[in-house]
């Protein structure tokens, strides 16, 4: 397996492309926007520069990594003669189903189709294709080049052979693959999102402030960042979407999103990407200044 295609040049897509290219794979990075592709390549280049500054790689490594990436604006063109396609588009079920229908038509019969979804059913996505045995989840963590975990999710019909292939491939990337079954939220978000949601409920109910909640979890539970800071980093809209998927899937009220989270998303306060969430990022991308809404 040497030829990979990645659908989507956003945060996760360019991180996945970077990781494969740095490990010697040829990568076709596909997006509908030339501007998105240029931004994705720019991000990869900047991240490689950071690795050079830390003496993890050298300039030759950077040049080789970038030379392994080709860009495409068309799915049919970009997935020709690929061994594996990884979809990393927006977390929207209708969009993903449409993409997988296109992939099923455009890809060779033996091509494995993977999705980087963080919560949507692999089985449902696979049902949009004629090859459900070759559809699997590869849930990378952000930032992809650094984080070691790959959550490998088996759909109801995913074959043992495909699962073993993806587990081995993930290990070849220097990652630690963990095999899980296809239920809403899988493992990572089924555990993480209720914690984030409960942290927002704790703030909503006036138990403690943003700084206090995050400090308790960082110092008391040895978390590298507090849950509210992490929610800002992930994107509050993404957190809400995942909680809604789990709530719809389990019909259990413990997954119902906090009203404060819903209101913040409606107000466009999405975290780092919008410049404000629980923290204010107008002057720094670091979570140093509490949002004025919560600093009173």
């Amino acid at each position: 397996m040497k030829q990979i295609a990645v659908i989507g040049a956003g945060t996760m897509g360019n991180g996945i492309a970077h990781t494969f290219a740095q490990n010697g794979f040829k990568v076709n990075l596909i997006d509908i926007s030339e501007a998105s592709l240029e931004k994705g390549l720019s991000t990869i280049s900047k991240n490689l520069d950071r690795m050079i500054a830390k003496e993890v790689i050298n300039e030759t490594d950077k040049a080789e990594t970038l030379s392994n990436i080709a860009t495409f604006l068309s799915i049919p063109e970009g997935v020709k003669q690929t061994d594996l396609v990884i979809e990393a588009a927006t977390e929207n079920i209708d969009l993903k189903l449409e993409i997988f229908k296109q992939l099923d038509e455009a890809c060779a019969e033996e091509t494995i189709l993977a999705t980087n979804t963080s919560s949507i059913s692999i089985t449902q996505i696979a049902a949009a294709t004629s090859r459900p045995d070759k559809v699997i989840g590869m849930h990378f963590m952000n930032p992809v080049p650094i984080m070691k975990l790959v959550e490998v999710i088996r759909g109801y019909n995913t074959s043992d052979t495909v699962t073993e292939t993806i587990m081995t491939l993930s290990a070849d990337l220097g990652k630690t693959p963990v095999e899980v079954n296809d239920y809403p939220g899988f493992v990572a978000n089924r555990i993480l999102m209720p914690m984030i949601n409960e942290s927002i409920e704790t703030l909503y109910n006036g138990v403690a402030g943003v700084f206090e909640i995050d400090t308790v979890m960082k110092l008391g539970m040895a978390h590298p960042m507090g849950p509210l800071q992490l929610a800002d980093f992930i994107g509050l809209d993404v957190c809400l979407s995942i909680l809604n998927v789990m709530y719809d899937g389990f019909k259990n009220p413990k997954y119902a999103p906090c009203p404060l989270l819903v209101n913040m998303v409606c107000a466009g306060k999405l975290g780092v990407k919008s410049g404000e969430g629980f923290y204010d990022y107008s002057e720094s991308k670091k979570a140093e200044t509490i949002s004025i809404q919560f600093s009173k």
Side-chain angles (χ1 to χ4, degrees):
M1 186 173 289
K2 283 296 179 184
Q3 187 70 49
I4 312 295
V6 178
I7 311 289
T11 300
M12 296 305 295
N14 71 61
I16 294 168
H18 171 165
T19 300
F20 274 95
Q22 191 177 333
N23 282 276
F25 292 85
K26 296 295 183 182
V27 180
N28 293 347
L29 183 58
I30 307 166
D31 205 295
I32 59 172
S33 163
E34 188 69 50
S36 295
L37 288 170
E38 290 175 1
K39 184 178 179 181
L41 287 176
S42 175
T43 298
I44 293 170
S45 181
K46 290 175 183 176
N47 287 336
L48 289 167
D49 286 339
R50 291 190 183 94
M51 298 177 79
I52 291 171
K54 295 178 180 178
E55 299 183 345
V56 175
I57 63 172
N58 57 38
E59 289 286 354
T60 300
D61 296 326
K62 175 184 175 180
E64 289 178 355
T65 297
L66 292 175
S67 71
N68 283 334
I69 303 173
T71 59
F72 294 84
L73 292 169
S74 160
I75 286 178
E77 287 295 318
V79 301
K80 284 181 179 178
Q81 299 179 327
T82 53
D83 303 302
L84 168 68
V85 180
I86 303 174
E87 171 273 318
T90 304
E91 194 77 344
N92 177 290
I93 181 60
D94 293 330
L95 175 62
K96 290 185 187 294
L97 292 177
E98 179 56 34
I99 288 173
F100 271 78
K101 287 178 185 176
Q102 291 183 53
L103 292 176
D104 192 42
E105 294 173 359
C107 292
E109 185 178 338
E110 64 274 10
T111 303
I112 296 172
L113 307 181
T115 173
N116 183 58
T117 182
S118 55
S119 61
I120 296 171
S121 168
I122 308 303
T123 303
Q124 185 178 1
I125 292 172
T129 77
S130 62
R131 62 182 88 194
D133 60 314
K134 295 184 178 68
V135 178
I136 195 164
M138 291 184 77
H139 181 204
F140 290 85
M141 305 294 131
N142 185 28
V144 180
I146 296 172
M147 298 292 280
K148 290 293 186 182
L149 176 66
V150 179
E151 203 175 19
V152 178
I153 307 107
R154 292 184 67 133
Y156 191 83
N157 292 303
T158 306
S159 72
D160 290 341
T161 300
V162 166
T163 302
E164 291 165 7
T165 298
I166 296 303
M167 292 287 285
T168 301
L169 176 66
S170 300
D172 289 343
L173 293 173
K175 305 299 186 184
T176 301
V178 176
E179 181 184 335
V180 305
N181 289 318
D182 183 24
Y183 292 95
F186 316 134
V187 171
N189 282 317
R190 184 169 179 171
I191 294 170
L192 174 63
M193 285 302 153
M195 183 193 74
I196 285 176
N197 197 45
E198 192 62 31
S199 302
I200 300 171
E201 286 278 4
T202 303
L203 176 66
Y204 179 58
N205 292 327
V207 178
V210 171
F211 174 79
E212 289 76 15
I213 292 168
D214 277 354
T215 299
V216 166
M217 297 305 291
K218 285 191 289 186
L219 300 186
M221 312 303 164
H223 291 192
M225 65 174 71
L228 300 177
Q229 179 187 357
L230 180 56
D232 275 357
F233 179 73
I234 294 169
L236 301 193
D237 53 338
V238 176
C239 294
L240 178 60
S241 174
I242 295 169
L243 284 164
N244 281 331
V245 166
M246 292 197 294
Y247 183 58
D248 290 343
F250 291 116
K251 301 295 187 290
N252 188 323
K254 75 178 182 179
Y255 299 112
C258 175
L260 174 58
L261 174 60
V262 175
N263 279 347
M264 290 179 72
V265 172
C266 288
K269 308 296 185 182
L270 308 181
V272 176
K273 62 184 168 186
S274 71
E276 185 181 355
F278 295 105
Y279 294 85
D280 186 329
Y281 302 95
S282 57
E283 295 185 3
S284 171
K285 294 297 184 183
K286 296 180 180 179
E288 297 172 333
T289 305
I290 306 296
S291 172
I292 191 169
Q293 180 182 352
F294 305 114
S295 62
K296 299 175 183 176

